[in-house]
Amino acid sequence: MTAQLPSDADIAHVGTDTLFKGLPDNASHLNAAPVSVLASGFMWPVAVIHDCALRGNAELMAEVCKRFGIEHAPHLKTAMSPELAQLQASHGAWGFTVGSPSQLRHARAWGTRRLVLATESLDTEFLRWIRGQLEDDPQFEFYLFTDSVAGAEVAGRHLAGVGSQVGILIEIGHPGGRAGVRDAESAHTVARAAADAGLSVAGVAGYEGTLGAQRTTEVETAVTAYLRRLRAVTEELDAAGMLDCDRDSFVVSCGGSTFFDLVAEELSHGWALTRPVTTVLRSGCYLLHDHDFYASSSPSFSWSRGLRPALEVWAQVISRPEAQLAILNAGRRDIGFDLGLPIPLRVIDPHSGTERTASGTITELNDQHAYLEIPPDFRLSVGDVVALGLSHPCTTMDKWRALPVIDAENRVVRYVHTYF
């Protein structure tokens, strides 16, 4: 007997609206009182977001912006979630940042009206689509990174003549880094090309995270020097008349989730340009944070407890083949591993809900399995659930289409969806 499947016309719609990894059927929208993630039809593995940490992180970034007098355009690539974007908007987001045309199209579908595409685009179909969006919605503002004459000319052919609805941000890079012009002369050349193409040069942008991942004195010194060079280039462009003086303010944008404190300190004050300056952070990972990469390098503030990890993956022990080895039913299809393997945090009894501190180390991931090495005297049974901490939330979020947000009693209070 051969396997039987629906017809081509039907198969594309099978379960698309109701089936989500780890969640009960029809669980993506709450219609009743909160339910326990340890019951109510949830299956392992499941990714969860802790509501208290999530809201605390949103509040911390809002407070940073308030104290320094700067704005925030959170990078949506971390979660690509309209519900999380709504949370960020409720905490004062100036706009949102995206990393690709696909992400921008989703963001527009959610109703966002100020978007920064943090990369140059020479995609003519996309630029035509953007032009249509601008014409259809006069309140839509679009900012585009540009670091080449070719990019400025292509953008000009499709986006010229819409005034301040489009703002070109000259991308400033650094030697050994990613994109961005490497010197002030190139910045002037690109800015001139953009202006000649009929575009409004709104300011400059950069990314300091490629200078180093760890918060060492050497890396902090390099980041500070880069930010000061970005300021100097902005001042030179303004002095040369390269920035569009018809704008209400110029935009200077930088800041990932590691050194946003340095960006705030260096670029929030002391400007003396022909127009006011709007300093815009683009941090994204801060909202979910993590247990390793960002936990070891993100800033701390004397007035705050700091960012807290909000995202975990809960997996079940499905085998104890050796005295010091447990196999969990979560792997590379469920957990990001580009910046480190997951970290065992807690052992949860799925029947009683009691929790205790985990012990051991994840040593390897397969597609659907994690290898947990444990001490000889550590008690861990088949059926136990292990809460795993993560490193780099971006590459875990893109493995889940819907995630429950849970309270301190592990009750689901709402869901977030992702669109990668």
Side-chain angles (χ1 to χ4, degrees), residues 38-341:
L38 296 171
S40 311
F42 287 86
M43 307 171 197
W44 315 114
V46 64
V48 301
I49 298 173
H50 290 278
D51 193 41
C52 182
L54 180 74
R55 292 185 177 278
N57 294 342
E59 291 166 2
L60 184 146
M61 184 60 76
E63 183 64 21
V64 167
C65 292
K66 178 181 177 181
R67 286 176 179 250
F68 283 95
I70 58 180
E71 302 288 355
H72 185 209
H75 210 312
L76 294 176
K77 71 179 178 67
T78 298
M80 285 304 295
S81 168
E83 293 91 350
L84 295 184
Q86 187 177 52
L87 174 66
Q88 292 167 313
S90 72
H91 283 79
W94 172 85
F96 292 96
T97 302
V98 293
S100 71
S102 174
Q103 293 172 9
L104 190 143
R105 292 175 67 194
H106 278 296
R108 280 294 289 160
W110 304 340
T112 55
R113 283 187 150 168
R114 181 183 280 138
L115 287 166
V116 179
L117 177 57
T119 183
E120 184 168 76
S121 178
L122 294 89
D123 184 335
T124 57
E125 290 303 319
F126 167 67
L127 294 172
R128 288 192 191 102
W129 180 85
I130 284 288
R131 179 64 182 239
Q133 294 287 300
L134 294 163
E135 292 175 349
D136 292 343
D137 183 0
Q139 295 185 53
F140 174 39
E141 292 180 36
F142 174 58
Y143 293 85
L144 176 65
F145 280 25
T146 304
D147 75 350
S148 71
V149 171
E153 291 174 345
V154 171
R157 286 197 288 272
H158 298 282
L159 303 179
V162 296
S164 59
Q165 262 190 284
V166 170
I168 297 298
L169 300 177
I170 306 302
E171 185 174 6
I172 311 300
H174 62 84
R178 201 162 57 190
V181 298
R182 297 309 201 241
D183 54 65
E185 181 180 357
S186 298
H188 281 255
T189 300
V190 174
R192 170 56 67 191
D196 289 346
L199 297 167
S200 171
V201 181
V204 304
Y207 177 56
E208 76 290 346
T210 47
L211 283 158
Q214 299 304 314
R215 189 172 278 271
T216 63
T217 300
E218 180 181 8
V219 172
E220 287 188 340
T221 298
V223 169
T224 299
Y226 168 70
L227 295 172
R228 291 175 180 175
R229 187 166 69 85
L230 192 147
R231 173 190 285 270
V233 173
T234 306
E235 292 171 343
E236 292 174 21
L237 289 174
D238 182 47
M242 293 288 99
L243 303 183
D244 184 1
C245 61
D246 289 332
R247 304 188 71 89
D248 293 335
S249 69
F250 300 140
V251 173
V252 176
S253 178
C254 211
S257 290
T258 299
F259 301 108
F260 63 85
D261 58 326
L262 299 183
V263 175
E265 291 168 4
E266 289 293 329
L267 300 181
S268 63
H269 62 279
W271 293 99
L273 306 186
T274 56
R275 290 290 180 273
V277 171
T278 300
T279 302
V280 180
L281 297 177
R282 302 193 310 277
S283 314
C285 289
Y286 80 94
L287 188 64
L288 296 169
H289 201 48
D290 71 6
H291 298 81
D292 186 8
F293 179 76
Y294 286 106
S296 66
S297 57
S298 291
S300 58
F301 301 94
S302 60
W303 44 266
S304 168
R305 63 185 298 180
L307 296 171
R308 291 181 290 160
L311 177 65
E312 297 174 354
V313 171
W314 292 7
Q316 192 167 45
V317 179
I318 58 171
S319 180
R320 288 284 278 107
E322 300 172 13
Q324 293 181 245
L325 178 64
I327 302 299
L328 312 182
N329 66 343
R332 293 172 180 242
R333 300 294 181 91
D334 312 297
I335 301 170
F337 52 91
D338 56 316
L339 293 178
L341 294 175

